[in-house]
Amino acid sequence: MFSPKLDESHFLHSYRPMPLILTVLALALLASASPAADWSPLFDGSSLKGWTQRGGKATYQVRDSAIVGTAVPNTSNSFLCTERDYGDFVLELEFRIDPTLNAGIQFRSESLADYKKGQVHGYQMEIDPSRRGWSGGVYDEGRRGWIYPLTLRPDARYAFKQNEWNHYRIEAIGDSIRTWVNGVPAADLVDPMTQKGFIALQVHGVGKRSDGPETSWRNIQIKDLGQSTWKPLFNGKDLTGWTPTPGGTWNVSDGVLKGTSPASETKHGILLSDADHEHFTARIVYRSRSGNSGFYFRAQPVEEAVGLKGFQAEIDSTGQDAGGLYETLGRSWVVKPAADLVKKAYKPGDWNEMTVSAHGPRLVVHLNGTKTADLLDATGARKGRFGLQLHGGQDMDVEFKSIELLETAAPRPIPEFPATPTGPIVPEGAAFRKLGDGYKFTEGPAQGPDGRIWFNDIPNNRTHVYDPKTGQISVWREDTGGANGLLWVPGGDLFACEGTNRIVSRQSGDKRTVAIEKFEGKRLNSPNDLVLDGQGGFYFTDPRYGNAGGARELEKESVYYVNQGSKITLATSEVTKPNGVALSPDQKTLYVADTAEKQIFAWDVKSPGILEHRRLFAPSSSDGMAVDLAGNLYLTTGPGLSVWSPAGEKIAEIPCPESPANCEFGGPGNKTLFVTARTGFYAIDLNIPGLR
């Protein structure tokens, strides 16, 4: 068995922009998971005392010790709001929602007369029962829209339980906002925009619907942790607390700190803080009239002309790269923000607000409320000085209206850089164990919402389900229409590629319907395999095998994309016979096995369903495939499985008792690889978690 050690480069680079790193490995937190404070009820179980309604006209009433919100037609989003504001807190509650509705939990929210005529706006923990599965993500209602979707958090997307009571937890301390769904970590957001506001229960507008779908909330309780406040580092009068280095001039006039320097000055003038700072969130309001400046942090004074060594958040009069992260006397540019993002956020010649959050290895920068950098850094300094820069060799004119630090009443969570897994992909002594046999040809393993594994025996037209808790396998469905690939989606529906029936079916509870049957009026060939993306859509392959279900109608064998609204579009026909399909952890690469060409091809995902830059990924045949959290691709080929790094290098081979057809991760920590192989169903434990 060839199974190399898990080299660090297969997991994490020394730095990587967020939120991908949160998908690869969860952050460990130094702070307590439950800050010390007493729980207080927000709902007394019998009345709406302490609450007031804003926005639309949905009805709220108390029924069976729960607040029940009922949607009504022709009204906007409705909000049942607490009468008082909360700053830092831990909130827990339970809710149950109609599967066709959308709702949310507002927090640190406001309704101001001078903002959109009193429209409720602020953070919202999403309740999303659709197959997109973004329950637990954070939406900025009435302002910026999605600021923490769950595109790259598959475990959280599957945590929501349809038609059941679900448990939510929100922890907001300073600029740290974290959420949990039924105990599963979901959002880990850093955002300092709003530090206090009311809590509200949202019922989303439903257009003209008149059937009155409901959302219920109960057991609503809060730990009030006080209020975070901004404290000035610049007193608006003089340079107390700051020391200038040679180069340029600093002075204070009318409460504004002004720095100037002629182009003839070669030294980088630095206004250096007298104190070191380690974990902090800083807010700087600046106006740059000419030249290149920056806000240094965790920096160390040096003798070189640049004056400091360390990170700086970019300040530039033209706005170019504003809010990016540059490491002076180090790695140079570490995060360069997208030009269109900066163009939208930056205000030329005007006052701009930049926030810099540095807690442990996580560095986050916002420019006028737009996130321009989010980095988990393994090598940078963790402590050092602040510095305001006047770039040498340029005509410099930059002003600072305020420089502040955010002080929290409760300890703010501080992340640690996650440990890199070590050892071989397959642990020493690990071997396949047979879970079931006596089948004709097994295929399509898929992990269900409860951790059970579904798989098909295609010739026998049966879908089986394996229960890891009992070790038992049972028949789940007969007469499957030649079902092959299976896909459980958030919300609890099962999609199946029924090759003989030439459809993709959808099972919702006891009801089975045809999800996809035709493309541009022509029947599909024989759908084979499918993979869910982070937007609630899925890709499926449609080769032609045998004479499935009558005459062929489509000229080509292709890969299709079905969005959350069930609209089908052609993703690519640049394949001969597409079979297995998979997505990389960052959702940026789609892999397709072409069994006719005996090769694996890869495409860049430009946007959902839009592919570009087809290329050969691996010169290997495969049927099904799976991906681990490091982005390694597991191919079912020949006598066993082969493992390929994201760079297209074969890094391991795993012999299998029978020739494998497909594989799926599951089990404790998602570290068990389940394999369908001819007449058997097998499993082997690995050292690395797989993608859900």
Side-chain angles (χ1 to χ4, degrees):
M1 179 183 295
F2 167 53
S3 184
K5 289 190 175 182
L6 298 175
D7 184 83
E8 182 172 341
S9 64
H10 292 150
F11 286 85
L12 301 169
H13 301 295
S14 59
Y15 57 92
R16 179 178 287 175
M18 303 288 277
L20 173 58
I21 190 65
L22 293 177
T23 305
V24 177
L25 289 170
L27 294 177
L29 294 166
L30 296 177
S32 168
S34 184
D38 293 329
W39 288 105
S40 299
L42 284 182
F43 167 50
D44 62 16
S46 60
S47 73
L48 298 182
K49 182 180 179 181
W51 299 80
T52 186
Q53 186 167 345
R54 293 184 171 94
K57 298 179 180 179
T59 64
Y60 293 88
Q61 59 181 307
V62 178
R63 186 195 310 154
D64 298 328
S65 300
I67 296 175
V68 180
T70 304
V72 299
N74 304 314
T75 190
S76 59
N77 295 347
S78 304
F79 304 89
L80 186 66
C81 312
T82 58
E83 293 178 349
R84 59 155 290 190
D85 290 345
Y86 294 89
D88 294 351
F89 62 85
V90 179
L91 176 71
E92 292 192 358
L93 56 80
E94 294 174 308
F95 73 90
R96 184 172 60 193
I97 187 170
D98 184 293
T100 65
L101 197 56
N102 180 280
I105 314 298
Q106 295 290 139
F107 58 98
R108 288 183 176 174
S109 294
E110 299 175 303
S111 174
L112 306 174
D114 59 353
Y115 182 84
K116 297 184 178 181
K117 299 180 180 180
Q119 179 181 341
V120 170
H121 58 280
Y123 303 114
Q124 177 190 128
M125 185 177 180
E126 176 80 355
I127 298 176
D128 176 17
S130 75
R131 75 166 181 249
R132 181 179 63 177
W134 284 3
S135 290
V138 179
Y139 183 82
D140 195 5
E141 176 79 16
R143 284 192 304 201
R144 296 168 292 174
W146 280 104
I147 52 178
Y148 202 107
L150 297 187
T151 310
L152 304 180
R153 301 303 297 270
D155 286 349
R157 293 174 66 198
Y158 283 91
F160 168 81
K161 299 176 182 178
Q162 197 75 270
N163 296 312
E164 297 183 29
W165 286 101
N166 290 268
H167 183 271
Y168 264 14
R169 177 184 173 98
I170 303 170
E171 180 184 290
I173 302 175
D175 63 338
S176 171
I177 296 171
R178 299 189 294 161
T179 67
W180 287 260
V181 180
N182 294 320
V184 177
D188 191 347
L189 173 69
V190 173
D191 191 276
M193 178 172 280
T194 308
Q195 290 302 309
K196 71 172 183 177
F198 54 73
I199 292 165
L201 310 178
Q202 184 213 48
V203 173
H204 203 282
V206 293
K208 296 181 180 180
R209 285 183 61 183
S210 59
D211 55 329
E214 295 180 344
T215 304
S216 301
W217 300 267
R218 69 183 186 187
N219 298 329
I220 309 171
Q221 58 180 351
I222 194 167
K223 286 186 178 183
D224 188 347
L225 303 179
Q227 174 68 56
S228 292
T229 55
W230 292 99
K231 300 293 185 180
L233 274 183
F234 161 56
N235 63 17
K237 300 176 182 179
D238 53 38
L239 300 184
T240 299
W242 300 81
T243 301
T245 65
T249 302
W250 295 93
N251 60 72
V252 179
S253 177
D254 297 326
V256 174
L257 174 62
K258 185 179 181 68
T260 57
S261 181
S264 58
E265 174 60 72
T266 58
K267 291 183 178 179
H268 292 236
I270 304 294
L271 186 61
L272 193 64
S273 69
D274 293 342
D276 286 341
H277 297 272
E278 186 176 7
H279 309 296
F280 65 87
T281 300
R283 182 169 68 181
I284 306 100
V285 178
Y286 73 90
R287 178 166 58 191
S288 181
R289 298 185 182 276
S290 66
N292 179 284
S293 181
F295 174 71
Y296 275 100
F297 59 96
R298 291 178 172 175
Q300 307 298 325
V302 294
E303 296 296 328
E304 286 88 339
V306 292
L308 282 178
K309 174 183 179 180
F311 273 116
Q312 63 169 297
E314 179 74 0
I315 294 174
D316 188 276
S317 59
T318 66
Q320 182 178 0
D321 302 321
L325 287 173
Y326 186 90
E327 189 179 36
T328 302
L329 298 181
R331 292 164 288 177
S332 300
W333 280 108
V334 180
V335 177
K336 262 195 169 188
D340 58 340
L341 195 70
V342 175
K343 184 178 180 180
K344 182 179 179 180
Y346 183 69
K347 302 175 183 178
D350 203 350
W351 292 104
N352 289 271
E353 178 184 287
M354 182 167 67
T355 59
V356 178
S357 177
H359 296 269
R362 190 172 181 185
L363 312 177
V364 182
V365 182
H366 286 83
L367 179 64
N368 296 321
T370 297
K371 185 165 66 175
T372 53
D374 196 340
L375 174 74
L376 195 66
D377 183 65
T379 62
R382 294 286 186 268
K383 186 177 182 180
R385 306 283 189 89
F386 291 145
L388 307 178
Q389 181 199 51
L390 298 174
H391 201 288
Q394 299 181 12
D395 285 318
M396 291 297 308
D397 187 345
V398 62
E399 298 171 304
F400 297 88
K401 183 187 291 186
S402 62
I403 306 168
E404 301 168 295
L405 288 183
L406 186 62
E407 292 187 358
T408 62
R412 183 199 185 280
I414 300 173
E416 290 182 319
F417 199 83
T420 302
T422 58
I425 288 177
V426 181
E428 186 175 350
F432 276 103
R433 54 189 182 274
K434 180 178 284 189
L435 306 176
D437 60 10
Y439 312 107
K440 287 187 177 180
F441 188 88
T442 54
E443 250 283 14
Q447 182 181 174
D450 57 2
R452 292 185 293 168
I453 306 296
W454 274 250
F455 65 94
N456 287 310
D457 183 357
I458 298 177
N460 284 321
N461 260 326
R462 293 192 187 101
T463 299
H464 298 265
V465 59
Y466 167 74
D467 188 342
K469 295 179 181 178
T470 64
Q472 299 298 308
I473 295 177
S474 57
V475 175
W476 187 74
R477 179 188 169 196
E478 302 267 12
D479 300 322
T480 64
N484 191 336
L486 300 173
L487 173 66
W488 282 98
V489 299
D493 289 348
L494 175 65
F495 287 83
C497 289
E498 300 186 12
T500 303
N501 288 341
R502 299 170 67 178
I503 64 170
V504 177
S505 65
R506 178 177 183 172
Q507 187 85 27
S508 299
D510 296 330
K511 184 179 180 182
R512 176 182 162 273
T513 58
V514 176
I516 303 294
E517 184 178 19
K518 296 180 179 180
F519 175 68
E520 295 183 343
K522 298 179 180 180
R523 292 191 66 192
L524 300 175
N525 291 315
S526 49
N528 184 276
D529 203 359
L530 63 178
V531 63
L532 183 73
D533 75 355
Q535 305 289 332
F538 62 85
Y539 296 87
F540 75 92
T541 57
D542 186 38
R544 177 71 174 180
Y545 286 109
N547 296 313
R552 178 172 180 167
E553 298 182 21
L554 288 168
E555 180 182 348
K556 294 185 177 181
E557 303 177 27
S558 305
V559 181
Y560 296 97
Y561 180 74
V562 181
N563 69 11
Q564 186 173 230
S566 297
K567 179 183 178 181
I568 181 174
T569 55
L570 177 66
T572 183
S573 290
E574 293 184 286
V575 284
T576 304
K577 191 171 288 294
N579 198 315
V581 60
L583 278 163
S584 61
D586 62 4
Q587 303 274 300
K588 294 181 179 180
T589 305
L590 183 78
Y591 302 101
V592 177
D594 191 326
T595 53
E597 301 295 332
K598 296 184 178 180
Q599 292 178 329
I600 309 299
F601 293 101
W603 286 260
D604 293 337
V605 180
K606 184 178 180 181
S607 60
I610 306 298
L611 308 179
E612 60 184 12
H613 187 210
R614 173 186 181 266
R615 58 198 179 275
L616 175 65
F617 175 76
S620 173
S621 179
S622 185
D623 193 339
M625 57 180 73
V627 180
D628 66 28
L629 287 186
N632 299 316
L633 191 65
Y634 293 67
L635 306 180
T636 53
T637 177
L641 295 96
S642 59
V643 186
W644 298 72
S645 75
E649 173 191 1
K650 184 161 71 171
I651 59 173
E653 292 178 351
I654 309 174
C656 188
E658 297 184 72
S659 183
N662 212 331
C663 54
E664 169 83 342
F665 279 96
N670 234 35
K671 288 185 176 182
T672 301
L673 188 66
F674 294 92
V675 178
T676 52
R678 298 306 186 263
T679 66
F681 179 56
Y682 298 87
I684 188 170
D685 297 325
L686 304 181
N687 268 331
I688 181 171
L691 274 186
R692 175 83 189 232

